[in-house]
Structure formats: C-alpha cells, structure tokens
Amino acid sequence: MLNAAEIDALFLSLKIASVAVILALPLAIVVAFILARGRFAGKILLDGLVHMPLVLPPVVLGYLLLISLGTRAPLGAWLYDTLGLRLVFHWSGAALAAAIVSFPFQVRAIRLALEVSGRGLEQAAATLGAGPLDRFLTITLPLAAPGIIAGVMMAFAVSLGEFGAIITFVSNIPGETRTLPLAIYTAIQSPGGEAMAARLAGLSIGLAFVALILAEIATRRISHGRRS
Amino acid sequence: MTLDIRIHHLLGTFELDVAFKAPAIGVTALFGPSGAGKSSVIACIAGLIHPRDGHVRLSDETVLDRSKGLCLPPHKRRIGVLFQDGRLFPHMTVKDNLLYGWKRTGKRADRHEIARLIALLGLEDFMTRRTHDLSGGEQQRVALGRALLADVRLLLLDEPLTGLDDARRQEILPWLERVRDEGGPPFIYVSHRVEDVARLADHVVVMNKGRIEIAGSAADVLPRLDLMPVTGVAEAVLEATVQSCDEKDGLVELAIGKDRLFAAIPNRKQGETVRMRIGADDVTLSLSRPDDISANSILAVQISAIKPDGAHILISLECEGQILLARITDRSRHRLSLVEGMHLYAIIKTIKLVH
C-alpha cells in the first residue's frame, strides 16, 4: 500500500517525534514544577519564554537554530569539533527543532496536573519523614502522571506535524530529514504526486487523531483523580 | 518530660503570640473559637510554617529555636499531624499509606508492632482497599495509624473530627482514646468543641485572638467563669470515683468526697475514675439538704464566685476542690441572699459522662 519512500518518511517521523519528546520531557517536568510551585520575580519571563514557540513563526525558529547551531556558527562549530555532533542536515537537528516547538504543550499539561495535586499531600508526606526529593518522586510525580502522559501525547502529535522549523534548519533530505509533512510538500510539488500526497495526508490525520485521543483519555484521568 | 512551646508570628495583620508548657504525656487540648490561631500554632510546631520567633522543645530535644537559628524541616522533626481532611495518598492502597512513614523511620517499629497497631485501630479488613472507598471516619483512622507508624514523638491533631457527623465522630473518638490509653505518643489536640476537649484532654490550653487565655488541667480550666466568652459553654467537668453498680436499676453510684451521685452508665468497675460534664442549667441550689425530692444526686458545695450572665446569674461552686457551675435567675439569688463563701447544696438533674 505504501511505497518504500513513504514508509521511510513514516518511520523517520516516528523516530524524530519520539526522540524530541523524550529529550524534552525531563526539562519540561522541571520547568512545569517551577511554574506551578515557584514564587519568584522572573516567573512571568520564564512563562513567556516557554510559550514563545507557540506564537513564533516556525521558520523564524528554524532560522535561529541555523545561525546558532550551523557548523560555521560558534556553538555549532564547537559541538562539531569537540563532540563530533552535527545537527544541521541531520535527523537529530530535526528532533531538536520538534522538541522546541512541542515543549510548551508538554509544560502546560504537566503544570496543570501539578497545580491540581496541590501541596497538602506533600506536607503530609513531609510530616511522615519524607525529604524534598523523596516527596517529589513518591507523591508529586505519581499524582502528576496522567498530566505527564497527556503532555507527552500532545507533544508527540505536534512534533509529527512540524514543518517550518525542520525544513529551515535541516533541509529536506530523503531518508534523513524528510518527515511526513515534508514528504507531503515534496509530493505536491512533483508532477503526478497527488496520490502519494493524499495517502501521506491520510496517514498524518490518523496518527494525529490517535495521539489526541490518548492525550484526552489521560486528561480525563486527571479530572477523575481530582473528584475522588 | 514537658513540651515547651513559644511562637511569635505575623500572618497579615494577625499576630500570633503564644507560649505554653504541657506534660509530654496524655492529651493537651488547644482549645478556642475559630480564628483563634490554633491551626497556625500546629503548623509552626510541625514545621509547615516557620514563625518569626520562638522555640519548640520536646523534653530535652529542640526542633526549633529562632534565637539560635535552628529550624529543623518537617521531615526531620518526627512530629506527626492528623489533618482535618485526612490527606491520605490517593494513588496508594491503605497498606501503602500506613507503611509510608514507617519505611522512612529506619524501621524502628518491628512487624509485631505494626500488626498490633493495625489491630488496635481495627484496620485489618482495609489493607488492600483504595483510600477513596473509605468513609470519612475510616480515612481518619488510617491517617491516625499512618502517623503512629511513623514513630512520631508527638502527634498533632488539627480538628480531625470537623466535617464528620456525630455517628462518624463516634467512629474515631474511641480509637483516639485507645491510642492514648495504650501508650501512644503525647497528643496536642486542636478543637473548638468543648465536648471533645472534656472527653479527651488531660491538659487544656485556651486560645483566643492569637493569644493564650489560660492553661492548666481540664478540670481546672473548663469550668472557669471568666472563660465563658471563649469556651461559650456553661458547663463543668468533674471527676468522681465509681463506688458500686446496682444490677437491678442499672445505676452507678459515684463518689465525690462524702457525697454521692447516681448515673445510668454501663460497664463501670468499682474504684474507676470517671469524668463527667454537668451543665449549669442542670443544677438547682438549696440552702438545706433536701431529702424529699426525686433527684438522687446532691453535693455539698461552697460559693466561690458570682457573675452576671446575660439575664441570669452564673454561680461557681466549689466541691472537694472541684468546680461546679449553676445558672439561676437574679430573683432566686436575692430570695436566697446568695453571697460568696456561703455553704449550700447543689441538686444535679443530669450527668453527661465523657469517658
């Protein structure tokens, strides 16, 4: 049903989205915790910074990545020389771009769950002898688990669909950075590619739908937990 | 062995300034109207609020001393809290809740001790259940067990019965008494209900508007006339010794000095001390010892204070070192020419037993 190039694009998309979400998750948990519980002067700035990718044109984000992490940019050159890490024109660069774009979606869902679970149970755990890290791992995180799952699924769906930042930063290389949206774009641009574009579009719709349903189920478990 | 507590803290415009010492054994009630600052004192002792100034000492160990810059975090204080809302962990079973603190004690209590406590609190059948399947009273019992298994040196109970109806209160009060009587840790019990304080407390600290009005033993403090605006209940708490039980009419004979009281109470042993509440409206005064009336319970008393109480007069009566209250009309007072120091007889119509 799908040809080799289409299957390549599908698996590449799944790989890039998975890596993007898993890489961003620990930082998203930390930032969500700071935003949900912290009281400090620069909180509104941090909040704004986290949400930037939601409102910034993705192509601008791709451009920023290119001028900072390109092999001729200082940071990019350093990464390449010392770690042998080249992000430009490489699938890992696509994963980084997707991670940044989907980051606010993770943070928002996890923050909501942390705000719901509240401090009362953590105080109770403290009076039972649990220190700060212990409380975080045994009380805060497990209670926020539905929010974390919801955030991960949302971010995964968003990462699958990222186009502008990826094509700007890592270009459109078949088998390396040509994810589903880029493959659809390429098919539309080529003569006789309509059928391929339609199949890939259908596939994207299906994937996004499944991810959203899973996110919704997880979110309902949060509100269920709040009732009981 | 004493608890030595001094807290000075500002909460907005509310100033909390309390200092008291209490025996580190039995139940100390922190008693007063809503908004007196009782829960804030509890939060300071537990380490959930850091007061501006003050100290908290448990016998010889200090967990807070602002003047020395010492302020242990709550997880290092070994002071348990039974919260008003239970605060069981919803993602754990009852068993995991119970063992949460125990696992963090270095497991000072052994398996036998755990089994004993679970049996003491009647929790055997709950172990594998989820916390939200339990009733409010059952949840508080689990929370009580969880705090005790954490091997705490002091247990703070922050109005743990609020929000429970009378039937549910009866589900938890006897368990609190069992823990107290079976060598549990000292309690500081916060309440605004005089019934609960009279039933549980050995020592009472009365708080009002962020300050302490008085502290002392329950029998001394609760009948104090000058505390009426705070306690709100014209009622005395007296202790008596069980003399004998009459199988025929079910009445128990109680002794206060040479006088005898009779009450219908089940299951009392001879020589046992009982505590009872006697409302000021349930006491009638007589200048001579009446022997042709229906009431059985008559005490010889001496007037220690007379104080107006709205349209009525509240009379404080001393009886073998204990205080009884009587509420009468001003007309009665004039007719009998009652003055301080007078000897007379108190006829008691109703006795409410507290334990």
Side-chain angles (χ1 to χ4, degrees):
Chain A
M1 189 177 138
L2 298 172
N3 65 33
E6 289 164 4
I7 289 171
D8 264 5
L10 171 64
F11 281 101
L12 187 62
S13 283
L14 293 174
K15 176 168 85 172
I16 286 172
S18 305
V19 170
V21 168
I22 291 164
L23 277 184
L25 181 61
L27 187 62
I29 291 174
V30 171
V31 170
F33 188 77
I34 293 170
L35 289 176
R37 300 291 166 82
R39 265 181 262 162
F40 54 96
K43 189 169 161 177
I44 195 160
L45 285 178
L46 179 64
D47 204 10
L49 189 68
V50 166
H51 287 93
M52 250 332 228
L54 277 182
V55 289
L56 208 63
V59 65
V60 172
L61 200 69
Y63 166 76
L64 291 174
L65 286 170
L66 196 59
I67 60 167
S68 56
L69 292 171
T71 43
R72 270 171 295 173
L75 182 57
W78 180 81
L79 281 177
Y80 186 62
D81 293 342
T82 55
L83 301 173
L85 198 66
R86 191 177 61 108
L87 293 169
V88 165
F89 309 126
H90 191 259
W91 71 267
S92 60
L96 178 65
I100 293 172
V101 170
S102 63
F103 190 66
F105 292 91
Q106 294 210 55
V107 172
R108 284 172 78 95
I110 298 167
R111 178 183 179 175
L112 175 75
L114 289 175
E115 279 168 353
V116 168
S117 72
R119 283 169 214 233
L121 295 175
E122 288 161 29
Q123 286 188 341
T127 64
L128 293 166
L133 183 65
D134 189 358
R135 297 199 289 273
F136 184 76
L137 293 177
T138 57
I139 307 293
T140 316
L141 264 194
L143 288 174
I148 294 171
I149 295 166
V152 162
M153 295 321 294
M154 273 299 282
F156 187 73
V158 168
S159 294
L160 282 177
E162 182 44 34
F163 178 83
I166 290 179
I167 203 167
T168 314
F169 181 36
V170 294
S171 188
N172 183 3
I173 305 163
E176 184 65 44
T177 65
R178 183 175 288 171
T179 59
L180 281 174
L182 273 65
I184 294 168
Y185 173 77
T186 311
I188 294 168
Q189 298 296 310
S190 357
E194 292 85 354
M196 184 178 179
R199 281 197 301 277
L200 290 174
L203 195 60
S204 291
I205 293 168
L207 280 175
F209 194 66
V210 169
L212 268 184
I213 296 276
L214 292 177
E216 181 60 27
I217 291 171
T219 312
R220 282 199 186 165
R221 281 199 50 200
I222 304 179
S223 42
H224 179 74
R226 185 174 359 188
R227 273 199 309 276
S228 56
Chain B
M1 289 281 277
T2 50
L3 309 171
D4 179 359
I5 287 152
R6 190 173 74 78
I7 305 283
H8 183 240
H9 193 55
L10 288 175
L11 295 151
T13 57
F14 182 80
E15 188 186 13
L16 192 63
D17 190 5
V18 300
F20 64 90
K21 287 182 184 174
I25 187 164
V27 179
T28 298
L30 202 53
F31 178 59
S34 300
K38 306 183 295 291
S39 292
S40 302
V41 172
I42 289 293
C44 287
I45 297 172
L48 303 174
I49 295 179
H50 299 323
R52 292 192 165 190
D53 194 21
H55 60 247
V56 173
R57 295 195 184 103
L58 309 177
S59 297
D60 50 358
E61 193 175 339
T62 305
V63 298
L64 172 81
D65 191 339
R66 277 301 200 191
S67 66
K68 290 182 186 143
L70 172 75
C71 182
L72 288 184
H75 64 278
K76 291 192 178 149
R77 291 195 181 190
R78 285 177 57 209
I79 296 177
V81 183
L82 188 58
F83 295 94
Q84 213 176 85
D85 49 354
R87 302 199 189 172
L88 296 182
F89 304 130
H91 58 300
M92 297 179 191
T93 60
V94 168
K95 186 180 179 189
D96 291 337
N97 266 279
L98 282 170
L99 297 182
Y100 188 89
W102 175 74
K103 287 176 182 161
R104 287 159 177 79
T105 58
K107 313 201 174 172
R108 276 185 288 271
D110 65 23
R111 294 259 162 206
H112 292 95
E113 177 62 19
I114 296 172
R116 189 189 74 86
L117 196 81
I118 286 166
L120 183 72
L121 290 171
L123 297 173
E124 300 95 330
D125 299 336
F126 299 163
M127 299 305 276
T128 57
R129 283 166 70 181
R130 284 273 166 179
T131 58
H132 47 74
D133 298 334
L134 305 177
S135 73
E138 288 165 348
Q139 290 195 16
Q140 286 297 42
R141 253 154 71 196
V142 174
L144 176 62
R146 183 176 71 172
L148 293 170
L149 278 175
D151 194 30
V152 294
R153 296 178 290 190
L154 170 67
L155 184 62
L156 310 170
L157 302 98
D158 189 4
E159 307 225 20
L161 304 178
T162 303
L164 301 180
D165 57 36
D166 275 337
R168 297 267 175 273
R169 300 171 82 81
Q170 292 314 313
E171 275 179 19
I172 179 85
L173 267 168
W175 304 99
L176 287 175
E177 287 173 344
R178 282 182 88 166
V179 170
R180 178 196 61 188
D181 298 340
E182 298 268 325
F187 289 0
I188 294 183
Y189 184 92
V190 167
S191 180
H192 65 273
R193 283 177 58 121
V194 76
E195 306 94 285
D196 297 344
V197 172
R199 176 162 175 174
L200 283 172
D202 306 303
H203 196 82
V204 178
V205 177
V206 180
M207 271 188 77
N208 194 25
K209 293 176 185 155
R211 272 157 219 283
I212 286 177
E213 299 269 348
I214 190 174
S217 75
D220 285 347
V221 169
L222 289 178
R224 284 269 302 258
L225 286 183
D226 50 338
L227 291 173
M228 279 284 300
V230 180
T231 58
V233 180
E235 196 170 66
V237 177
L238 280 88
E239 284 183 351
T241 317
V242 174
Q243 289 294 303
S244 64
C245 304
D246 191 323
E247 298 289 331
K248 270 183 291 181
D249 59 5
L251 284 185
V252 170
E253 184 183 353
L254 303 165
I256 296 181
K258 286 192 208 118
D259 290 318
R260 295 292 178 267
L261 300 145
F262 296 87
I265 46 170
N267 304 326
R268 294 293 156 170
K269 292 186 211 70
Q270 196 174 347
E272 191 181 349
T273 299
V274 293
R275 200 183 280 180
M276 58 203 159
R277 292 186 290 135
I278 298 172
D281 295 323
D282 292 328
V283 175
T284 305
L285 298 178
S286 171
L287 295 178
S288 57
R289 182 182 280 277
D291 47 16
D292 51 356
I293 57 166
S294 64
N296 290 313
S297 305
I298 298 165
L299 294 175
V301 295
Q302 183 178 17
I303 297 179
S304 57
I306 298 178
K307 194 186 165 200
D309 175 39
H312 291 85
I313 302 289
L314 257 182
I315 300 195
S316 185
L317 305 156
E318 208 214 292
C319 164
E320 299 286 331
Q322 303 195 61
I323 300 288
L324 185 67
L325 294 179
R327 180 154 36 204
I328 59 170
T329 60
D330 201 28
R331 176 185 294 233
S332 302
R333 181 178 70 136
H334 282 297
R335 191 159 50 78
L336 299 178
S337 312
L338 299 181
V339 290
E340 284 181 23
M342 250 173 100
H343 289 272
L344 64 170
Y345 296 91
I347 300 137
I348 295 156
K349 281 176 280 191
T350 311
I351 294 171
K352 288 169 270 187
L353 225 71
V354 288
H355 63 87

